Amino acid sequence: MKLAILAFGAHPDDVELGCSGTLAKEVSLGKKVGIIDLTRGELGTRGSVAIRNSESANASQILGIHIRENLDMRDGFFVNDEAHQLKIIQKIRQYQPDIVLCNAIDDRHIDHGKGSKLVSDACFLSGLNKIETEWEGRAQTAWRPKAVYHYIQWKTIEPDFVVDITDFMECKMKSILAYSSQFYDPNSSEPETPIASKNFLESVHYRAQDLGRLVGVDYAEGFTVERYVAVRALSDLV
């Protein structure tokens, strides 16, 4: 299956927090969209691998995406080396996305910045013919996405562009709340974590609201770019 957009996250729920409104919007426009998580989030203070697997499946159903996979890299300990890059190159060549979305370029969690650079580097290397990979016993064709964009997570990073998600904010929040083990629940007996606070959950909402305010819509998600974003005409800008 060729995908229009493939979003990567270091952990299950990264994509939901960072760009799920954009993904839901693209799905509604008829685009084929997928998510690949690098790890199972097995070092997370709350929940378990089994619980997060179930939550991830529920979130995927809410978003209506076409595929979701997990590369089973080690939470906290994966690195940006040849072995890890090749795993991602295989997936890029398998799904041939036009656009790749990945973690924030810098963030509180060390896996986010690492995952961002790992995926970005793999996107470039995937376009080199002399790097040979196979999938299901067949040689893969080189493929480089047209664009790599980075969503925003814990830290406040100034976006290079924003996407209006006004009609998809409710879907975004539902996909996030599918991870009930991770986020605010006043009845939970699990240990408190930075993302399990009421403040954090509200911050997801008011960040989208603030980015929307700045461009004259109700809600938006922000992205940073690695190279200039071009438009065909000034009228393409809103």
Side-chain angles (χ1 to χ4, degrees):
M1 179 192 300
K2 184 188 184 311
L3 297 175
I5 301 170
L6 181 56
F8 287 86
H11 314 102
D13 76 26
D14 281 356
V15 170
E16 283 80 2
L17 287 166
C19 62
S20 57
T22 298
L23 296 187
K25 182 172 188 175
E26 294 292 340
V27 169
S28 77
L29 296 172
K31 301 289 183 63
K32 284 188 167 55
V33 174
I35 296 174
I36 293 181
D37 303 306
L38 303 186
T39 78
R40 301 278 175 185
E42 63 269 21
L43 294 183
T45 302
R46 296 161 66 106
S48 65
V49 169
I51 289 171
R52 297 190 77 171
N53 287 346
S54 176
E55 292 171 341
S56 175
N58 290 339
S60 299
Q61 187 172 21
I62 290 167
L63 295 174
I65 59 174
H66 297 81
I67 66 102
R68 187 166 200 155
E69 298 185 19
N70 196 297
L71 294 184
D72 286 310
M73 296 179 182
R74 290 185 65 201
D75 189 12
F77 294 100
F78 69 82
V79 294
N80 186 2
D81 65 4
E82 180 179 357
H84 290 80
Q85 289 164 358
L86 285 171
K87 286 186 176 183
I88 296 173
I89 289 169
Q90 281 183 315
K91 291 302 173 183
I92 293 170
R93 291 177 173 182
Q94 179 184 352
Y95 291 115
Q96 300 183 340
D98 298 313
I99 296 172
V100 163
L101 305 179
C102 51
N103 285 99
I105 55 173
D106 177 50
D107 215 34
R108 181 185 68 88
H109 198 301
I110 61 171
D111 279 356
H112 295 173
K114 283 195 301 179
S116 174
K117 188 70 166 65
L118 170 59
V119 172
S120 178
D121 287 353
C123 285
F124 176 81
L125 293 172
S126 183
L128 300 180
N129 289 316
K130 290 186 178 179
I131 295 178
E132 298 178 356
T133 57
E134 291 186 356
W135 184 253
E136 296 182 340
R138 295 184 178 182
Q140 292 182 301
T141 302
W143 181 270
R144 183 174 294 147
K146 295 176 182 176
V148 177
Y149 302 135
H150 302 262
Y151 47 85
I152 297 170
Q153 298 184 257
W154 179 274
K155 289 186 177 181
T156 299
I157 296 175
E158 184 175 351
D160 293 313
F161 70 91
V162 301
V163 176
D164 177 5
I165 63 162
T166 299
D167 294 336
F168 299 91
M169 188 63 195
E170 183 178 355
C171 182
K172 175 185 176 76
M173 295 308 296
K174 284 182 178 178
S175 74
I176 292 169
L177 292 173
Y179 295 89
S180 56
S181 70
Q182 301 301 302
F183 301 112
Y184 176 69
D185 178 358
N187 299 314
S188 175
S189 59
E190 293 264 30
E192 187 70 17
T193 69
I195 66 169
S197 69
K198 185 178 181 182
N199 185 308
F200 175 76
L201 196 60
E202 290 176 346
S203 77
V204 175
H205 196 274
Y206 65 64
R207 169 181 276 165
Q209 194 169 30
D210 190 50
L211 288 174
R213 174 187 65 83
L214 293 171
V215 295
V217 301
D218 289 340
Y219 299 100
E221 287 175 336
F223 299 85
T224 61
V225 303
E226 299 182 4
R227 59 179 183 171
Y228 288 125
V229 174
V231 294
R232 296 186 186 279
L234 286 176
S235 57
D236 291 335
L237 295 170
V238 296

mmCIF file of all heavy atoms in Angstrom, residues 25-48:
data_model
loop_
_atom_site.group_PDB
_atom_site.id
_atom_site.type_symbol
_atom_site.label_atom_id
_atom_site.label_comp_id
_atom_site.label_asym_id
_atom_site.label_seq_id
_atom_site.Cartn_x
_atom_site.Cartn_y
_atom_site.Cartn_z
ATOM 1 N N LYS A 25 -7.572 14.920 9.546
ATOM 2 C CA LYS A 25 -8.025 15.796 8.466
ATOM 3 C C LYS A 25 -7.634 15.217 7.113
ATOM 4 O O LYS A 25 -8.446 15.189 6.172
ATOM 5 C CB LYS A 25 -7.418 17.190 8.636
ATOM 6 C CG LYS A 25 -7.876 18.198 7.592
ATOM 7 C CD LYS A 25 -7.388 19.600 7.925
ATOM 8 C CE LYS A 25 -8.010 20.630 6.999
ATOM 9 N NZ LYS A 25 -7.640 22.016 7.393
ATOM 10 N N GLU A 26 -6.400 14.726 6.982
ATOM 11 C CA GLU A 26 -5.944 14.163 5.716
ATOM 12 C C GLU A 26 -6.721 12.887 5.367
ATOM 13 O O GLU A 26 -7.035 12.643 4.201
ATOM 14 C CB GLU A 26 -4.441 13.879 5.778
ATOM 15 C CG GLU A 26 -3.576 15.121 5.909
ATOM 16 C CD GLU A 26 -3.604 15.999 4.669
ATOM 17 O OE1 GLU A 26 -3.971 15.524 3.578
ATOM 18 O OE2 GLU A 26 -3.245 17.187 4.780
ATOM 19 N N VAL A 27 -7.034 12.081 6.369
ATOM 20 C CA VAL A 27 -7.854 10.889 6.128
ATOM 21 C C VAL A 27 -9.217 11.295 5.579
ATOM 22 O O VAL A 27 -9.743 10.682 4.640
ATOM 23 C CB VAL A 27 -8.022 10.058 7.422
ATOM 24 C CG1 VAL A 27 -9.079 8.972 7.234
ATOM 25 C CG2 VAL A 27 -6.693 9.421 7.822
ATOM 26 N N SER A 28 -9.794 12.349 6.143
ATOM 27 C CA SER A 28 -11.115 12.818 5.684
ATOM 28 C C SER A 28 -11.069 13.316 4.248
ATOM 29 O O SER A 28 -12.089 13.330 3.554
ATOM 30 C CB SER A 28 -11.626 13.936 6.600
ATOM 31 O OG SER A 28 -10.987 15.178 6.317
ATOM 32 N N LEU A 29 -9.875 13.718 3.799
ATOM 33 C CA LEU A 29 -9.696 14.198 2.421
ATOM 34 C C LEU A 29 -9.385 13.062 1.449
ATOM 35 O O LEU A 29 -9.103 13.304 0.285
ATOM 36 C CB LEU A 29 -8.584 15.243 2.381
ATOM 37 C CG LEU A 29 -8.859 16.545 3.160
ATOM 38 C CD1 LEU A 29 -7.607 17.420 3.200
ATOM 39 C CD2 LEU A 29 -10.026 17.307 2.541
ATOM 40 N N GLY A 30 -9.429 11.833 1.958
ATOM 41 C CA GLY A 30 -9.216 10.676 1.101
ATOM 42 C C GLY A 30 -7.778 10.217 1.001
ATOM 43 O O GLY A 30 -7.457 9.354 0.187
ATOM 44 N N LYS A 31 -6.886 10.778 1.826
ATOM 45 C CA LYS A 31 -5.479 10.387 1.778
ATOM 46 C C LYS A 31 -5.249 9.097 2.567
ATOM 47 O O LYS A 31 -5.888 8.859 3.592
ATOM 48 C CB LYS A 31 -4.604 11.494 2.363
ATOM 49 C CG LYS A 31 -4.726 12.833 1.664
ATOM 50 C CD LYS A 31 -4.087 12.830 0.289
ATOM 51 C CE LYS A 31 -4.161 14.202 -0.364
ATOM 52 N NZ LYS A 31 -3.420 15.216 0.387
ATOM 53 N N LYS A 32 -4.322 8.285 2.095
ATOM 54 C CA LYS A 32 -3.918 7.096 2.827
ATOM 55 C C LYS A 32 -2.819 7.490 3.807
ATOM 56 O O LYS A 32 -1.792 8.061 3.426
ATOM 57 C CB LYS A 32 -3.442 6.004 1.870
ATOM 58 C CG LYS A 32 -4.587 5.298 1.149
ATOM 59 C CD LYS A 32 -4.092 4.097 0.374
ATOM 60 C CE LYS A 32 -5.263 3.207 -0.074
ATOM 61 N NZ LYS A 32 -6.274 3.919 -0.851
ATOM 62 N N VAL A 33 -3.052 7.170 5.074
ATOM 63 C CA VAL A 33 -2.198 7.649 6.155
ATOM 64 C C VAL A 33 -1.808 6.479 7.058
ATOM 65 O O VAL A 33 -2.629 5.602 7.339
ATOM 66 C CB VAL A 33 -2.941 8.719 6.982
ATOM 67 C CG1 VAL A 33 -2.126 9.133 8.194
ATOM 68 C CG2 VAL A 33 -3.272 9.937 6.114
ATOM 69 N N GLY A 34 -0.564 6.475 7.517
ATOM 70 C CA GLY A 34 -0.107 5.433 8.434
ATOM 71 C C GLY A 34 0.718 5.989 9.564
ATOM 72 O O GLY A 34 1.217 7.122 9.504
ATOM 73 N N ILE A 35 0.872 5.189 10.617
ATOM 74 C CA ILE A 35 1.693 5.538 11.771
ATOM 75 C C ILE A 35 2.633 4.373 12.066
ATOM 76 O O ILE A 35 2.218 3.216 12.041
ATOM 77 C CB ILE A 35 0.833 5.819 13.025
ATOM 78 C CG1 ILE A 35 -0.065 7.040 12.815
ATOM 79 C CG2 ILE A 35 1.721 6.026 14.257
ATOM 80 C CD1 ILE A 35 -1.037 7.292 13.963
ATOM 81 N N ILE A 36 3.884 4.696 12.351
ATOM 82 C CA ILE A 36 4.842 3.699 12.822
ATOM 83 C C ILE A 36 5.456 4.197 14.125
ATOM 84 O O ILE A 36 6.019 5.291 14.181
ATOM 85 C CB ILE A 36 5.944 3.433 11.783
ATOM 86 C CG1 ILE A 36 5.346 2.755 10.540
ATOM 87 C CG2 ILE A 36 7.040 2.555 12.387
ATOM 88 C CD1 ILE A 36 6.355 2.437 9.456
ATOM 89 N N ASP A 37 5.315 3.403 15.171
ATOM 90 C CA ASP A 37 5.926 3.703 16.459
ATOM 91 C C ASP A 37 7.268 2.985 16.540
ATOM 92 O O ASP A 37 7.387 1.820 16.155
ATOM 93 C CB ASP A 37 5.019 3.231 17.603
ATOM 94 C CG ASP A 37 3.633 3.858 17.531
ATOM 95 O OD1 ASP A 37 3.559 5.097 17.481
ATOM 96 O OD2 ASP A 37 2.639 3.106 17.525
ATOM 97 N N LEU A 38 8.276 3.677 17.032
ATOM 98 C CA LEU A 38 9.605 3.076 17.116
ATOM 99 C C LEU A 38 9.710 2.087 18.266
ATOM 100 O O LEU A 38 10.357 1.048 18.146
ATOM 101 C CB LEU A 38 10.669 4.160 17.262
ATOM 102 C CG LEU A 38 10.729 5.238 16.173
ATOM 103 C CD1 LEU A 38 11.930 6.154 16.403
ATOM 104 C CD2 LEU A 38 10.791 4.625 14.782
ATOM 105 N N THR A 39 9.098 2.392 19.405
ATOM 106 C CA THR A 39 9.185 1.531 20.591
ATOM 107 C C THR A 39 7.785 1.232 21.118
ATOM 108 O O THR A 39 6.796 1.804 20.663
ATOM 109 C CB THR A 39 9.990 2.197 21.723
ATOM 110 O OG1 THR A 39 9.166 3.184 22.381
ATOM 111 C CG2 THR A 39 11.253 2.867 21.200
ATOM 112 N N ARG A 40 7.713 0.365 22.107
ATOM 113 C CA ARG A 40 6.446 0.046 22.779
ATOM 114 C C ARG A 40 6.224 0.941 23.998
ATOM 115 O O ARG A 40 5.234 0.780 24.699
ATOM 116 C CB ARG A 40 6.439 -1.413 23.234
ATOM 117 C CG ARG A 40 6.624 -2.428 22.117
ATOM 118 C CD ARG A 40 5.352 -2.720 21.401
ATOM 119 N NE ARG A 40 5.590 -3.606 20.243
ATOM 120 C CZ ARG A 40 4.650 -3.954 19.376
ATOM 121 N NH1 ARG A 40 3.425 -3.504 19.511
ATOM 122 N NH2 ARG A 40 4.934 -4.738 18.357
ATOM 123 N N GLY A 41 7.158 1.846 24.272
ATOM 124 C CA GLY A 41 7.032 2.684 25.462
ATOM 125 C C GLY A 41 7.144 1.870 26.738
ATOM 126 O O GLY A 41 6.539 2.219 27.764
ATOM 127 N N GLU A 42 7.971 0.819 26.690
ATOM 128 C CA GLU A 42 8.012 -0.131 27.800
ATOM 129 C C GLU A 42 8.632 0.422 29.076
ATOM 130 O O GLU A 42 8.471 -0.158 30.155
ATOM 131 C CB GLU A 42 8.752 -1.407 27.382
ATOM 132 C CG GLU A 42 10.212 -1.229 27.009
ATOM 133 C CD GLU A 42 10.438 -0.961 25.529
ATOM 134 O OE1 GLU A 42 9.496 -0.518 24.840
ATOM 135 O OE2 GLU A 42 11.575 -1.181 25.074
ATOM 136 N N LEU A 43 9.338 1.537 28.985
ATOM 137 C CA LEU A 43 9.920 2.135 30.187
ATOM 138 C C LEU A 43 8.976 3.142 30.851
ATOM 139 O O LEU A 43 9.328 3.737 31.870
ATOM 140 C CB LEU A 43 11.249 2.823 29.842
ATOM 141 C CG LEU A 43 12.394 1.917 29.386
ATOM 142 C CD1 LEU A 43 13.656 2.742 29.149
ATOM 143 C CD2 LEU A 43 12.662 0.811 30.389
ATOM 144 N N GLY A 44 7.814 3.339 30.279
ATOM 145 C CA GLY A 44 6.860 4.289 30.846
ATOM 146 C C GLY A 44 6.468 3.923 32.271
ATOM 147 O O GLY A 44 6.303 2.749 32.610
ATOM 148 N N THR A 45 6.331 4.946 33.120
ATOM 149 C CA THR A 45 5.995 4.724 34.529
ATOM 150 C C THR A 45 4.626 4.088 34.691
ATOM 151 O O THR A 45 4.425 3.230 35.560
ATOM 152 C CB THR A 45 6.035 6.068 35.286
ATOM 153 O OG1 THR A 45 7.338 6.652 35.140
ATOM 154 C CG2 THR A 45 5.728 5.889 36.762
ATOM 155 N N ARG A 46 3.691 4.474 33.846
ATOM 156 C CA ARG A 46 2.310 4.003 33.965
ATOM 157 C C ARG A 46 1.985 3.016 32.851
ATOM 158 O O ARG A 46 2.542 3.065 31.760
ATOM 159 C CB ARG A 46 1.355 5.204 33.902
ATOM 160 C CG ARG A 46 1.514 6.169 35.067
ATOM 161 C CD ARG A 46 0.916 7.532 34.764
ATOM 162 N NE ARG A 46 -0.521 7.508 34.607
ATOM 163 C CZ ARG A 46 -1.393 7.975 35.503
ATOM 164 N NH1 ARG A 46 -0.952 8.475 36.646
ATOM 165 N NH2 ARG A 46 -2.684 7.943 35.265
ATOM 166 N N GLY A 47 1.048 2.134 33.147
ATOM 167 C CA GLY A 47 0.594 1.189 32.141
ATOM 168 C C GLY A 47 1.590 0.064 31.911
ATOM 169 O O GLY A 47 2.515 -0.161 32.695
ATOM 170 N N SER A 48 1.396 -0.651 30.814
ATOM 171 C CA SER A 48 2.263 -1.771 30.443
ATOM 172 C C SER A 48 2.279 -1.870 28.928
ATOM 173 O O SER A 48 1.504 -1.206 28.235
ATOM 174 C CB SER A 48 1.725 -3.070 31.038
ATOM 175 O OG SER A 48 0.464 -3.394 30.459
#
